[in-house]
Amino acid sequence: VQLQAFGGGLVQAGGSLRLSCVAPGSIFNSAKMGWYRQAPENERELVAEISASGRTINYADSVKGRFTISRENDRNTLYLDMNDLNPADTAVYYCNAKRLVLGTRSEYWGRGTLVTVSS
């Protein structure tokens, strides 16, 4: 299963980017979706996650008030709107899907998209 993440790039501090992730519909609509990131020499960390229904959302403290996660289930697409970016946000951003179906857990990752914020 392949998750496709898009939208990374180079942006100046204070700027904005929108990341998108497309997943197969058989996975997306029943999955809790999330964005993770990994900066050089750091561990991968959760940025934001959203439940399958979209009613429950969690953010890392470092991005609260600046980033917004959302999903369009009819387009099998996950978004991350990132505003007021700063160099500490520089990382490879990964899309993640987690499902629990009939007691079986499954997890899927995208290849990642690089976000670079210059000062």
Side-chain angles (χ1 to χ4, degrees), residues 58-115:
N58 294 306
Y59 294 99
D61 287 343
S62 59
V63 306
K64 281 181 182 175
R66 300 188 299 122
F67 291 11
T68 302
I69 189 171
S70 60
R71 63 191 295 161
E72 285 191 76
N73 283 359
D74 57 349
R75 294 189 176 189
N76 305 329
T77 304
L78 176 74
Y79 302 102
L80 185 68
D81 289 295
M82 304 184 294
N83 298 309
D84 193 22
L85 285 159
N86 60 67
D89 296 314
T90 295
V92 177
Y93 284 70
Y94 297 90
C95 175
N96 174 269
K98 293 185 176 71
R99 300 172 73 219
L100 176 60
V101 179
L102 299 177
T104 299
R105 296 183 184 275
S106 54
E107 185 171 16
Y108 309 91
W109 290 93
R111 288 184 179 177
T113 184
L114 177 62
V115 172

